[in-house]
Amino acid sequence: MLKKTLLLSLSPLLLLSASAIADTSKNVKNWVGGVDHLGLTVSNLDSSKVFFTDVLGFKVLGNDPTYPAYFLSNNKITITLWRVKNDDKRVEFNRADNVGLHHLALSVESIKKLSELHEHLKMQNNIIIEFAPENLGKGPTQHMMIREPSGNRIEFIARGN
């Protein structure tokens, strides 16, 4: 119930976010052109890389074993995965208590593809599906949320017409 209430209150903000960005003051210079890449700290570098490449179809652009990190892309977004430096001091992210990336939202081209992706993800044994595809607010946009092998939250969202 709380999730539905929260989604209903957030959906107008999500739907209006692009128009709000476009409505900047004429006195403020727009310095940013978009997202260049996203960096995620992961606890299991290899499992997270396999999730993005073998499950979601990203390609490896390169890696740095001294960092250690992988640089991945699907030709629309670039993601850097790097391993947490000190596993003994690692603190699992809690979206209600920690400042930081709440989730990564990746677009899916259609609601049909979102449903197909959900079926594909259900067959994986190293991810957690927080919720299956459902309407965002009153729809027609749908989304679902998962946790990849290192625990980062990823939302998949298909904007309905």
Side-chain angles (χ1 to χ4, degrees), residues 15 108-112 114 134-136 138-143 157-161:
L15 295 174
V108 178
E109 72 181 51
S110 68
I111 291 173
K112 180 180 184 289
L114 182 65
E134 62 181 28
N135 282 347
L136 178 62
K138 295 179 183 176
T141 297
Q142 288 192 357
H143 68 149
I157 186 164
R159 302 279 178 192
N161 295 332

Side-chain angles (χ1 to χ4, degrees), residues 5-36:
T5 303
L6 181 60
L7 288 174
L8 288 172
S9 64
L10 286 178
S11 60
L13 294 174
L14 291 171
L15 295 174
L16 294 174
S17 62
S19 63
I21 291 169
D23 190 25
T24 58
S25 169
K26 293 179 183 179
N27 298 329
V28 177
K29 184 170 182 166
N30 186 353
W31 294 99
V32 179
V35 174
D36 179 74

Side-chain angles (χ1 to χ4, degrees), residues 34-67:
V35 174
D36 179 74
H37 71 279
L38 179 81
L40 294 175
T41 302
V42 296
S43 59
N44 189 322
L45 184 60
D46 291 327
S47 291
S48 292
K49 179 197 71 101
V50 166
F51 170 74
F52 279 96
T53 57
D54 294 1
V55 177
L56 295 182
F58 280 67
K59 302 291 182 221
V60 176
L61 299 176
N63 71 315
D64 182 350
T66 65
Y67 196 48

Side-chain angles (χ1 to χ4, degrees), residues 52-117:
F52 279 96
T53 57
D54 294 1
V55 177
L56 295 182
F58 280 67
K59 302 291 182 221
V60 176
L61 299 176
N63 71 315
D64 182 350
T66 65
Y67 196 48
Y70 282 103
F71 312 101
L72 313 171
S73 180
N74 68 352
N75 294 325
K76 295 185 180 178
I77 186 171
T78 299
I79 296 177
T80 301
L81 302 176
W82 66 84
R83 191 183 71 217
V84 65
K85 288 187 183 215
N86 187 338
D87 204 45
D88 293 334
K89 292 185 178 180
R90 181 180 83 213
V91 176
E92 297 297 325
F93 179 74
N94 178 317
R95 66 183 176 88
D97 296 328
N98 300 114
V99 173
L101 182 70
H102 184 273
H103 67 278
L104 165 63
L106 299 173
S107 63
V108 178
E109 72 181 51
S110 68
I111 291 173
K112 180 180 184 289
K113 290 272 189 187
L114 182 65
S115 179
E116 291 171 2
L117 176 60

